[in-house]
């Protein structure tokens, strides 16, 4: 099996993530009628998956460090499958909430382990592109969920919308069975022979496998030395943790999911009154997200992580300011100004898709030292889902209290802070092996 094939199968974890991120907005109006939900219950239902994801992200890293990456991914596929089926057949609210929490746990675990597995198995020169297949699948999942939501928008359609999520769960499980365990994790556990076998499966070339194993071994020896120098170990860990958790928070508090979850609401507020215009605009947003992620994949191993992050953040800031100004000048009236608003929203999503979207997930899989990679990635992923939850809970409140212009200006201001943070702290990792990235922290400290 070629490595690209392996990467595509593992990246199905991203498809689960994306599909379920997007599908709830299409299902919500029907769930509201079926279960007679008041706004508070609606909010809790939406948040249950996000809270589940935060829980999943917290436990995943420790488990993956202890038992390996592959068994945990297999378990996740089962949890996800079960949660999707339970949600689809639920007849009372409590069962639906349990289903959604299970799905959430699945997404939370998949969101951290998919990039981690890809980063640990990919050849360094293409690691950026291959890990970003995860983000590509996320965006494809979101787009598919919008389309499914549109096609099934009647009566009991919500059961199919939620149940269809079981399908990628099943494919992930079956596809993952023959894939190799991460050689880096095996080597870290002292299982060097198995690590070599897996490298051979991945590289299909004895010399390349031996060279990589040699590199891994010397890295592990260096790590042992470093561990004995406790203070150095501490400072080596602090820096990646600040960067990982910081980027996790910035990825969410700059507002992306207000668009992904509430695009139709924003478009209505911007005066795109007719349902068809709103649907068209929302599908357009989903398509821009996929296309610009493809552009990022093309550039990420050449232009590098920093250039994409900084360009993306600058573009997001400008688009958000234009968006806020559009609302300030009365976009609600519709017409040309309404479309300016829609276009700036599309530009904002496009800039997210070439920067913070893929680069955040890539960096948190790259920057932590092997010994704590699972736990470090977990902490950053937890911070990401917790911030996602906070933004989802506060967005509509902000729109009601301070109004759309100030809300978008606030996200613009946070994008500026994210730009400065990135400029000052985020290292360039393109082309380096994970072991070189790890060694570089010693010089930083
Ligand atoms: C983010 C998600 C977001 C998605 C949009 C991901 O990188 O983590 O919160 O919904 O991108 O494409």
């Amino acid at each position: 099996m070629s490595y690209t094939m392996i990467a595509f199968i593992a990246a199905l974890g991203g498809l689960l993530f994306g599909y379920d991120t997007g599908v709830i907005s299409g299902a919500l109006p029907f769930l509201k009628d079926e279960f007679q939900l008041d706004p508070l219950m609606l909010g809790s239902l939406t948040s249950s998956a996000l809270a589940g994801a935060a829980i999943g992200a917290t436990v995943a890293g420790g488990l993956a460090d202890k038992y390996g990456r592959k068994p945990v991914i297999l378990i996740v596929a089962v949890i996800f499958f079960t949660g999707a089926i339970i949600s689809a057949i639920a007849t009372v609210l409590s069962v639906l909430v349990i289903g959604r929490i299970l799905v959430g746990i699945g997404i939370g675990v998949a969101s951290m382990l998919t990039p981690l597995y890809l980063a640990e198995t990919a050849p360094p020169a293409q690691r950026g592109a291959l890990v970003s297949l995860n983000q590509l699948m996320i965006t494809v999942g979101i787009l598919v969920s919008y389309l499914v939501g549109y096609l099934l928008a009647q009566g009991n359609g919500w059961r199919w919308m939620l149940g269809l999520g079981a399908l990628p769960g099943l494919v992930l499980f079956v596809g993952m069975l023959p894939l190799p365990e991460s050689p880096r994790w095996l080597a870290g556990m002292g299982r060097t022979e198995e690590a070599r076998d897996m490298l051979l499966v991945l590289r299909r070339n004895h010399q390349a496998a031996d060279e990589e194993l040699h590199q891994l071994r010397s890295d592990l020896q260096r790590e042992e030395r470093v561990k004995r120098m406790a203070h150095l170990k501490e400072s080596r860990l602090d820096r990646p943790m600040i960067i990982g958790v910081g980027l996790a928070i910035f990825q969410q508090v700059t507002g992306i999911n207000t668009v992904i979850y509430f695009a139709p609401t924003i478009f209505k507020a911007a005066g795109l009154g007719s349902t068809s215009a709103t649907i068209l605009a929302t599908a357009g947003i989903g398509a821009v997200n996929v296309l610009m992620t493809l552009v990022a994949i093309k550039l990420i191993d050449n232009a590098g992580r920093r250039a994409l992050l900084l360009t993306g953040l600058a573009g997001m800031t400008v688009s958000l300011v234009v968006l806020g100004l559009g609302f300030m000048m009365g976009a609600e009236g519709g017409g040309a100004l309404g479309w300016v608003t829609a276009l700036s929203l599309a530009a904002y999503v496009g800039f997210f898709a070439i920067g913070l979207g893929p680069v955040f997930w890539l960096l948190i899989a790259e920057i932590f030292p092997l010994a704590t990679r699972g736990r470090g990635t977990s902490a950053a992923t937890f911070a990401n889902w917790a911030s996602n939850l906070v933004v989802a809970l506060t967005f509509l409140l902000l729109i009601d209290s301070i109004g759309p212009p100030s809300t978008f200006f606030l996200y613009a201001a946070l994008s500026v802070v994210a730009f400065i943070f990135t400029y000052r702290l985020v290292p360039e990792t393109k082309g380096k092996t994970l072991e070189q990235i790890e060694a570089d922290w010693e010089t930083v400290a």
Side-chain angles (χ1 to χ4, degrees):
M1 198 188 295
S2 73
Y3 183 73
T4 315
M5 190 66 203
I6 293 180
F8 263 106
I9 294 174
L12 283 174
L15 195 67
L16 300 179
F17 175 170
Y19 183 79
D20 245 84
T21 294
V23 82
I24 194 70
S25 59
L28 227 42
F30 300 98
L31 296 173
K32 190 176 160 201
D33 292 346
E34 177 110 15
F35 296 98
Q36 283 152 19
L37 305 176
D38 60 26
L40 188 69
M41 287 154 100
L42 270 178
S44 325
L45 184 63
T46 317
S47 317
S48 51
L50 296 177
I55 299 171
T58 315
V59 294
L63 291 177
D65 278 348
K66 197 160 174 201
Y67 301 107
R69 314 328 190 187
K70 182 174 160 180
V72 184
I73 298 181
L74 286 173
I75 293 171
V76 156
V78 175
I79 296 179
F80 193 87
F81 181 86
T82 316
I85 300 289
I86 291 180
S87 312
I89 59 175
T91 48
V92 289
L93 184 62
S94 51
V95 175
L96 181 62
V97 169
I98 292 174
R100 292 294 300 166
I101 292 179
L102 281 179
V103 166
I105 293 176
I107 303 174
V109 180
S111 68
M112 71 141 294
L113 268 190
T114 310
L116 188 70
Y117 178 83
L118 289 168
E120 287 187 338
T121 51
Q126 296 119 42
R127 192 179 55 240
L130 290 164
V131 176
S132 300
L133 280 179
N134 173 55
Q135 177 70 16
L136 182 67
M137 291 295 216
I138 296 176
T139 59
V140 170
I142 292 174
L143 183 59
V144 170
S145 77
Y146 285 165
L147 298 176
V148 168
Y150 174 61
L151 292 175
L152 297 176
Q154 55 206 329
N156 267 338
W158 67 268
R159 294 195 182 275
W160 283 103
M161 290 181 208
L162 299 185
L164 273 175
L167 210 63
L170 187 65
V171 181
L172 176 65
F173 185 85
V174 177
M176 201 63 206
L177 278 176
L179 298 202
E181 177 54 271
S182 154
R184 287 184 162 73
W185 177 79
L186 286 167
M189 298 300 279
R191 293 158 63 176
T192 323
E193 273 311 305
E194 287 168 78
R196 187 178 182 280
D197 292 345
M198 298 302 153
L199 279 169
L200 212 52
V201 174
L202 289 166
R203 305 287 174 258
R204 296 193 289 178
N205 172 323
H206 282 272
Q207 201 192 339
D210 283 340
E211 273 169 22
E212 224 172 310
L213 188 67
H214 177 73
Q215 170 80 44
L216 264 176
R217 269 187 171 149
S218 56
D219 179 61
L220 288 167
Q221 281 160 5
R222 200 193 56 247
E223 185 140 317
E224 274 308 309
R225 280 200 306 277
V226 169
K227 265 188 196 157
R228 275 181 243 126
M229 301 155 76
H231 68 282
L232 200 54
K233 187 189 163 216
E234 284 305 311
S235 51
R236 271 173 15 116
L237 249 186
D238 283 354
R239 192 50 93 88
M241 195 59 103
I242 291 169
I243 295 171
V245 171
L247 284 179
I249 296 173
F250 285 127
Q251 202 211 31
Q252 295 299 323
V253 299
T254 45
I256 186 62
N257 285 313
T258 64
V259 182
I260 303 294
Y261 303 159
F262 303 109
T265 317
I266 302 178
F267 285 132
K268 278 225 172 71
L272 300 186
S274 76
T275 315
S276 55
T278 315
I279 290 172
L280 187 72
T282 306
I285 292 284
V288 168
N289 199 8
V290 174
L291 289 176
M292 292 308 282
T293 306
L294 281 170
V295 173
I297 289 182
K298 193 105 192 86
L299 296 176
I300 205 159
D301 287 311
N302 302 313
R305 288 51 164 161
R306 275 177 63 85
L308 289 189
L309 262 184
L310 293 171
T311 313
L313 281 165
M316 282 166 71
T317 309
V318 174
S319 317
L320 283 166
V321 170
V322 175
L323 190 63
L325 287 175
F327 272 102
M328 231 170 139
M329 287 159 60
E332 290 87 341
L337 217 47
W339 281 105
V340 168
T341 320
L343 286 180
S344 50
L345 209 59
Y348 164 75
V349 170
F351 281 113
F352 173 87
I354 59 161
L356 260 186
V359 182
F360 158 68
W361 291 109
L362 171 60
L363 280 173
I364 64 161
E366 291 183 330
I367 58 174
F368 291 102
L370 177 63
T372 52
R373 192 167 291 148
R375 268 171 291 147
T377 312
S378 244
T381 309
F382 170 80
N384 189 264
W385 286 106
S387 317
N388 188 333
L389 182 59
V390 170
V391 175
L393 291 176
T394 51
F395 174 63
L396 294 178
L397 290 177
L398 283 174
I399 294 280
D400 276 348
S401 54
I402 60 173
S406 304
T407 305
F408 293 120
F409 290 147
L410 174 68
Y411 297 144
L414 288 165
S415 305
V416 173
V417 181
F419 185 95
I420 299 169
F421 177 91
T422 302
Y423 186 78
R424 301 196 52 165
L425 292 179
V426 175
E428 182 53 70
T429 53
K430 78 168 172 192
K432 293 183 182 165
T433 64
L434 295 181
E435 291 68 39
Q436 281 163 347
I437 299 172
E438 181 164 347
D440 287 349
W441 290 121
E442 284 161 42
T443 54
V444 172

